[in-house]
RNA sequence: GCUGGCGUAGCUCAGUCGGCAGAGCACCUGAUUUGUAAUCAGGCGGUUGUGGGUUCGAUUCCCGUCGCCAGCUCCA
């Protein structure tokens, strides 16, 4: 029975001991397999080669894999990785191949070698094309462990892998004079691997461990036809065009300088964007009954000893001395928040007490991981701590989840993916009972809101379970932004208490939460999501007023002033340039509206409205335009 | 932090097999007075990231260093 051809399963008869090529032939003869382009085959859920023997019973379900199946794509790309290793073995006979898996962005192969140069990649691509043209058959070889140890004796990495394999037969694949240890399956002939590109070289460690030998990794991508490869490379180009570091410079939003590696400098226009985000954030937090505090950047080291940061994360903290006493720049806001909490007595009647802080934190990240606004050494967390009783955890989490979704929706992120992480197997603190209640509370909160989530057992923080929120941008990329973490430990460490209904002092539960995560990173995400073409409410420059000539400068200035007085961000382009030039520049700055002022407009008190899309709304009375833009701005239309 | 690549004008990038450092854009000035994505001309602008070495001579070759980029590792 062959499935997956469209329509129901199809039955074909082939002689006993046939391979799947016979099945394909029979299907084609019956008019079924047209344009199938099978790469491998799924027999009872297990991917095998097309040359494998067809099972004797028709009860076993069979499905051919093409590039359009995830599993088929994997076979294809993995075969391309072998093709690469084959080419390397021809051009660099002394190089030892190690492993070559398929990853999300194609495939890679790690080699024990001296570094490859970009020219080497070009030569390798040429050699790979040669091997494709030779159309070598790809054969599966089964061998015993001893045979495998002999066959791969010269490759210490393969020997190590063979030794670690579980018992049973070991498989390898041969194409021409190249043999590689591999579970398979593979495409049957090298000819099928038509379109590929080697994309980059990088160092990588054997088994991903820094202590091990460093290998040379070659990344590549492959497709069954040139058109798909082209489309893929074009999409990569588009992603490069959206790079927030590039747009940030073009739009004059922020910069980085050698004098402060990893510390962003916000320019005036970037601050408008940032303040707009913050303004909205404050507005919605007021609505959700938060209050806001601000705690100092540098605090005595004893505080970090109490919080536990000194023990666990000292290497990431910036330390200094004040009057010869050790201090640290804060890497997190919660210890400071706890000092504020402790500055007076609290009653259960105040709970849940929602305390927000847009706190600037500094962390010493490794130099190699810094990346624009996405990974910096100083950033502002949209932090908040909710102090409550254990009974209030669930309701507080529900309320926070609602807030998270409301905020994401305002920025246009409606595709949100949620993960729940539970108690780590080792190193966690707190009683079983407390953990059980907290995990149940988070789970109940998610269920009550009908939210699908992924469970990550053992991935929680050492002090409590957490919910993480990932937003998907318009390119389909997922970004972890929000987090809700229940914490039983910190209030205890700090001896924070509240007066309970029965008059006793109790320790509150503390819920840490961030929604945007890092303001810097979130703005980076916004820039890439919108490719700099911000919706009106977020755009640093919303309107450009464009006089057609000097004669209309006064009228244009008047228009600009009125827009600004109405609370819109407008600039007037008084340069001695032609209209086409002014429009072009406004377009390149992604300004939402261009208001053209010439003789007709000046006489009638109108402006000719051109939208960023290129749509021309014609001349409209200024008052009408202002009302319309204000409405779009105030409603935060996307 | 590790491996590799790269640092030339505010930006994007040429160039120099070791011999007077260039273009476009931006900016300034002048002409032009402009109607929906680039008007023309002129001008300003650089210790070639930085420190050292080799050399008659270094932007070019070598070493150190800082930064950027890609990946690895890390990410409370």
């Amino acid at each position: 029975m062959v499935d997956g051809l469209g329509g129901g399963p199809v039955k074909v008869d082939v002689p006993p001991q046939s391979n799947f090529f016979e099945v394909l032939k029979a299907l084609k003869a019956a008019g079924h397999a047209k344009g199938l382009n099978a790469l491998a085959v799924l027999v009872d859920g297990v991917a095998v080669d097309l040359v494998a023997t067809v099972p004797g019973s028709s009860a076993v379900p069979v499905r051919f894999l093409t590039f359009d199946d995830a599993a088929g794509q994997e076979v294809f790309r993995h075969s391309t990785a072998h093709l690469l290793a084959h080419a390397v073995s021809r051009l660099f006979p002394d190089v030892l191949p190690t492993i070559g898996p398929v990853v999300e962005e194609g495939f890679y192969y790690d080699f024990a070698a001296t570094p490859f140069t970009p020219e080497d990649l070009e030569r390798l691509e040429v050699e790979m094309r040669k091997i494709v043209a030779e159309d070598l058959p790809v054969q599966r070889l089964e061998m015993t462990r001893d045979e495998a140890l002999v066959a791969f004796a010269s490759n210490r990495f393969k020997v190590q892998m063979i030794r670690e394999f579980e018992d049973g037969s070991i498989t390898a694949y041969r194409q021409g004079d190249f043999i590689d240890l591999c579970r398979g399956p593979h495409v049957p002939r090298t000819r099928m691997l038509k379109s590929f590109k080697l994309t980059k070289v990088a160092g990588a460690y054997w088994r991903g461990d820094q202590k091990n030998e460093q290998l040379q990794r070659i990344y590549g991508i492959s497709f069954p036809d040139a058109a798909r490869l082209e489309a893929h490379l074009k999409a990569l180009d588009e992603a490069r065009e959206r790079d927030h570091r590039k747009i940030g410079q073009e739009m004059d939003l922020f910069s980085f300088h050698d004098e402060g590696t990893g510390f962003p400098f916000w320019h005036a226009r970037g601050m408008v964007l940032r303040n707009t985000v913050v303004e909205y954030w404050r507005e919605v937090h007021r609505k959700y009954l938060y209050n806001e505090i601000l705690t100092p950047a540098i605090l005595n080291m004893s505080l970090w000893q109490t919080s536990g940061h000194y023990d666990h994360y000292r290497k990431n903290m910036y330390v200094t001395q004040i009057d010869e006493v050790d201090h640290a720049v804060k890497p997190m806001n919660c210890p400071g928040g706890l000092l504020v909490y402790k500055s007076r007595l609290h009653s259960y009647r105040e709970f849940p007490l929602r305390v927000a802080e847009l706190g600037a934190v500094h962390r010493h990240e490794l130099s190699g991981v810094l990346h624009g606004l996405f990974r910096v050494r100083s950033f502002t967390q949209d932090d908040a701590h909710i102090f409550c009783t254990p009974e209030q955890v669930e309701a507080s989490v529900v309320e926070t989840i609602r807030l998270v979704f409301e905020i994401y929706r305002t920025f246009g992120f409606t595709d949100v993916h949620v993960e729940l992480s539970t108690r780590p197997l080792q190193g966690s603190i707190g009683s079983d009972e407390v953990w059980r209640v907290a995990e149940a509370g988070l789970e109940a909160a998610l269920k009550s809101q009908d939210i699908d989530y992924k469970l990550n057992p053992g991935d929680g923080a050492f002090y409590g379970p957490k919910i993480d929120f990932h937003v998907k941008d318009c390119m389909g990329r997922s970004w972890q932004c929000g987090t809700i973490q229940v914490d039983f430990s910190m209030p205890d460490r700090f001896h924070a208490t509240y007066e309970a209904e029965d008059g006793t002092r109790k320790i509150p539960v503390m819920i840490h939460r961030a929604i945007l995560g890092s303001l810097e990173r979130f703005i980076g995400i916004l820039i890439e999501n919108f490719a700099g073409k911000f919706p009106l409410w977020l755009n640093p420059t919303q309107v450009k007023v464009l006089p057609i000539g000097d004669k209309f400068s006064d009228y244009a200035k008047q228009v600009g002033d009125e827009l600004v007085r109405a609370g819109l961000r407008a600039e007037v382009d008084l340069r001695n340039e032609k209209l086409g030039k002014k429009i072009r520049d406004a377009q390149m700055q992604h300004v939402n509206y261009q208001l053209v002022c010439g003789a007709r407009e000046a006489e009638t008190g109108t402006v000719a409205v051109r939208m960023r899309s290129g749509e021309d709304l014609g001349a409209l009375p200024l008052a009408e335009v202002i009302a319309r833009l204000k409405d779009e701005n105030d409603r935060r239309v996307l």
Side-chain angles (χ1 to χ4, degrees):
Chain A
M1 282 296 191
V2 179
D3 204 350
L5 299 170
V10 175
K11 191 162 185 296
V12 283
D13 288 319
V14 289
Q17 299 303 307
S18 293
N19 64 28
F20 287 98
F21 288 113
E22 304 295 331
V23 178
L24 280 173
K25 240 184 257 172
L27 281 170
K28 206 172 169 189
H32 284 300
K34 205 163 171 238
L36 184 56
N37 290 323
L39 300 169
V41 61
L42 207 58
V43 178
D44 205 11
V46 179
V48 300
D49 294 295
L50 291 173
V51 293
T53 307
V54 176
S57 158
S58 67
V60 181
V62 164
R63 181 191 164 92
F64 285 99
L65 293 172
T66 70
F67 191 81
D68 296 315
D69 301 291
Q73 184 170 312
E74 194 171 330
V75 168
F76 189 86
R77 297 235 163 105
H78 186 55
S79 293
T80 321
H82 270 228
L83 177 65
L84 164 62
H86 190 176
V88 168
S89 78
R90 283 186 178 182
L91 297 184
F92 305 92
D94 298 334
V95 162
L96 297 181
T98 68
I99 56 162
V102 172
V103 290
E104 207 167 316
E105 274 292 289
F107 62 87
Y108 66 78
Y109 209 114
D110 284 347
F111 302 93
T114 51
F116 295 102
T117 64
E119 293 73 42
D120 290 337
L121 288 197
E122 285 171 29
R123 288 175 57 209
L124 284 169
E125 283 190 6
V126 170
E127 193 62 35
M128 285 165 76
R129 274 186 215 107
K130 261 191 220 165
I131 299 169
V132 170
E134 287 164 23
D135 191 22
L136 301 171
V138 182
Q139 298 164 287
R140 179 184 173 90
L141 308 171
E142 302 210 0
M143 47 181 84
T144 64
R145 174 178 307 236
D146 289 341
E147 287 166 347
L149 285 171
V150 171
F152 293 99
S154 61
N155 187 325
R156 59 186 185 276
F157 300 97
K158 301 284 183 190
V159 167
Q160 188 183 340
M161 285 189 276
I162 294 165
R163 290 230 166 89
E164 289 170 13
F165 283 152
E166 285 174 22
D167 290 335
S169 87
I170 287 169
T171 57
Y173 279 78
R174 178 213 298 275
Q175 51 193 59
D177 53 356
F178 176 71
I179 300 180
D180 199 1
L181 193 65
C182 185
R183 196 182 321 128
H186 277 280
V187 301
R189 301 195 73 93
T190 58
R191 180 192 54 205
M192 300 175 79
L193 305 169
K194 286 227 178 63
S195 295
F196 52 82
K197 182 160 180 63
L198 301 181
T199 48
K200 50 202 167 199
V201 272
Y205 302 99
W206 169 240
R207 307 233 143 137
D209 190 331
Q210 213 165 349
K211 291 191 218 57
N212 289 341
E213 185 174 343
Q214 180 134 24
L215 307 172
Q216 297 303 320
R217 176 171 298 180
I218 298 179
Y219 282 90
I221 183 88
S222 61
F223 292 91
D225 57 79
R228 290 212 222 183
L229 177 63
E230 281 301 309
H232 175 81
L233 295 177
K234 204 175 151 212
L236 286 185
D237 275 346
E238 272 169 33
R240 257 191 292 281
E241 284 302 307
R242 284 175 179 262
D243 191 313
H244 73 280
R245 292 167 299 186
K246 179 176 150 74
I247 292 174
Q249 185 185 67
E250 286 166 356
M251 294 183 76
D252 195 16
L253 302 176
F254 57 86
S255 59
F256 287 91
H257 301 274
D258 291 359
E259 290 80 358
T261 310
F263 300 121
F265 286 66
W266 286 94
H267 296 196
R269 290 165 52 82
M271 272 315 278
V272 173
L273 177 56
R274 186 185 163 113
N275 285 335
T276 304
V277 171
V278 167
E279 208 174 287
Y280 162 67
W281 185 91
R282 289 212 163 101
E283 179 186 309
V284 72
H285 276 74
R286 276 194 295 274
K287 193 171 93 182
Y288 277 76
L289 308 176
Y290 279 75
N291 49 54
E292 185 181 350
I293 62 167
L294 186 63
T295 66
I298 301 178
L299 294 164
N300 195 302
M301 193 61 88
S302 64
L303 181 81
W304 307 109
Q305 280 156 352
T306 303
S307 70
H309 290 102
Y310 182 87
D311 291 336
H312 290 279
Y313 307 108
R314 182 159 195 232
K315 63 180 198 311
N316 287 316
M317 291 165 66
Y318 296 105
V319 296
T320 184
Q321 287 209 327
I322 299 178
D323 294 339
E324 288 161 34
V325 179
D326 286 338
H327 284 66
V329 181
K330 69 175 172 183
M332 291 191 97
N333 300 305
C334 29
L338 273 160
L339 294 184
V340 174
Y341 177 87
K342 280 183 46 165
S343 66
R344 64 173 174 83
L345 290 180
H346 289 278
S347 153
Y348 74 95
R349 292 171 187 277
E350 304 171 64
F351 284 1
L353 180 63
R354 306 171 189 86
V355 187
E357 173 171 12
L358 289 169
V361 296
H362 289 69
R363 300 177 182 181
H364 181 81
E365 305 288 357
L366 292 180
S367 60
V369 305
L370 301 175
H371 183 92
L373 294 178
F374 287 159
R375 197 73 184 270
V376 290
R377 285 178 172 163
S378 79
F379 57 96
T380 305
Q381 285 182 310
D382 69 320
D383 218 340
H385 300 103
I386 301 168
F387 298 93
C388 63
T389 65
E391 296 73 39
Q392 291 171 324
V393 167
E394 185 184 328
S396 295
V397 170
V398 165
E399 173 189 282
T400 308
I401 290 172
R402 288 215 184 101
L403 176 58
V404 167
F405 278 87
E406 175 167 343
I407 289 178
Y408 290 165
R409 196 171 50 245
T410 304
F411 290 100
F413 297 121
T414 48
D415 191 346
V416 182
H417 155 85
V418 180
E419 299 190 3
L420 171 62
S421 299
T422 57
R423 184 174 197 172
L425 293 173
Q426 289 177 336
S428 67
I429 52 170
S431 70
D432 292 351
E433 172 63 9
V434 169
W435 273 90
R436 197 190 58 72
V437 170
E439 289 175 0
L442 291 183
E443 199 173 344
L446 287 169
K447 291 208 163 125
S448 78
Q449 298 309 104
D450 249 340
I451 292 167
D452 284 332
Y453 61 90
K454 183 180 156 216
L455 187 66
N456 292 327
D459 261 4
F462 68 90
Y463 49 77
K466 61 173 184 173
I467 297 173
D468 290 324
F469 298 86
H470 303 247
V471 303
K472 207 168 241 187
D473 70 14
C474 69
M475 308 274 288
R477 297 173 302 183
S478 191
W479 305 92
Q480 202 230 297
C481 293
T483 184
I484 302 176
Q485 307 182 354
V486 181
D487 182 356
F488 316 112
S489 144
M490 202 75 81
D492 194 16
R493 279 173 178 260
F494 278 84
H495 307 296
T497 58
Y498 67 97
E499 186 121 342
E501 204 170 355
D502 60 7
T504 62
R505 291 280 173 87
K506 291 193 169 151
I507 299 170
V509 177
M510 186 178 188
I511 300 171
H512 307 249
R513 50 113 281 197
I515 295 176
L516 307 178
S518 145
L519 213 48
E520 284 72 8
R521 182 163 169 275
F522 189 77
I523 289 172
I525 295 167
L526 288 178
I527 292 170
E528 301 212 353
N529 182 60
F530 293 115
K533 298 182 184 73
F534 296 109
L536 187 74
W537 75 280
L538 283 170
N539 206 337
T541 307
Q542 300 172 312
V543 187
K544 277 265 188 189
V545 183
L546 312 179
I548 282 169
D550 286 351
K551 282 182 293 219
F552 314 108
S553 288
D554 287 342
Y555 179 63
K557 278 191 238 176
Q558 209 179 307
V559 168
D561 289 349
E562 281 205 47
L563 288 161
V564 171
R565 272 196 291 271
L568 292 162
R569 298 185 287 270
E571 292 166 16
V572 187
D573 189 345
L574 294 172
R575 292 176 307 167
N576 179 10
E577 294 287 354
K578 293 169 89 165
L579 182 62
K581 169 72 166 168
K582 293 182 181 183
I583 285 175
R584 177 184 154 79
D585 287 349
Q587 283 293 127
M588 300 226 294
Q589 290 164 39
H590 309 307
V591 171
N592 300 79
Y593 289 93
Q594 297 142 24
L595 306 184
V596 177
C597 301
R600 294 197 292 274
E601 290 78 18
E603 273 165 32
T604 54
T606 60
V607 287
V609 182
R610 184 189 200 274
M611 305 216 294
R612 187 169 60 194
S613 63
E615 194 183 339
D616 187 351
L617 301 185
L620 297 170
L622 179 59
E624 191 180 306
V625 172
I626 287 176
R628 175 180 170 152
L629 298 200
K630 250 190 96 55
D631 178 65
E632 182 178 339
N633 182 63
D634 294 350
R635 288 193 297 117
R636 302 195 171 96
V637 173
L638 291 167

